[in-house]
Amino acid sequence: MPDLVRFSVSMNGDLATRFDRLIRRRGYPSRSEAVRDMVRRELVRQEWENPDAEAVGTVTLVYDHHVRDLSERLTEMQHRQHHLVTSTTHVHLTHDHCLEVIVVRGRARDVQALADKLIATRGVLHGELVATAMGKAFQGKPSQKHHAH
Ligand code: NI
């Protein structure tokens, strides 16, 4: 494990109170863990600001499958960019609605463009790209959280 660096943070009482409330609500075990997560989130965000960076994330879509040809169009878009699509999970949510979670990986600009196109398709009721990262941002992460592998 790399060296542990300690530093203190000053902020006014009101901000600190709100921060502690947020920590409790989210269930963080400590201020340090909350700050580490915030820093990592910013580092991931920064990675995505480089359009040529290798990026990974998920696109979540909810759509009405009664809209004519919508399922086919969404599938077609993914086939056209198959090098960016790692996997797709489809859930028949209700009689009318489908949920799709697409794992995307590739150049940040290409992944973002595909996500934008899918989300903007008529009939898609809700869509969001969750941008995450593979490596650099998480270096030195303490192993106190449970991971699948
Ligand atoms: Ni369905």
Side-chain angles (χ1 to χ4, degrees), residues 37-78:
D37 261 13
M38 286 172 186
V39 170
R40 282 183 214 112
R41 191 173 306 127
E42 279 308 302
L43 290 172
V44 168
R45 216 173 56 82
Q46 196 193 25
E47 278 192 28
W48 275 77
E49 281 170 8
N50 173 5
D52 292 318
E54 171 85 350
V56 63
T58 57
V59 182
T60 299
L61 303 173
V62 174
Y63 64 90
D64 184 343
H65 77 97
H66 295 304
V67 174
R68 201 178 137 74
D69 295 334
L70 180 55
S71 303
E72 290 77 5
R73 275 187 289 134
L74 293 173
T75 303
E76 177 67 28
M77 281 178 213
Q78 295 177 57

Side-chain angles (χ1 to χ4, degrees), residues 2 4 20 35 41 56 68 103 110-111 114 118 131 134:
L4 201 59
D20 285 340
V35 169
R41 191 173 306 127
V56 63
R68 201 178 137 74
V103 179
D110 299 336
V111 167
L114 174 61
L118 290 165
M134 279 167 276

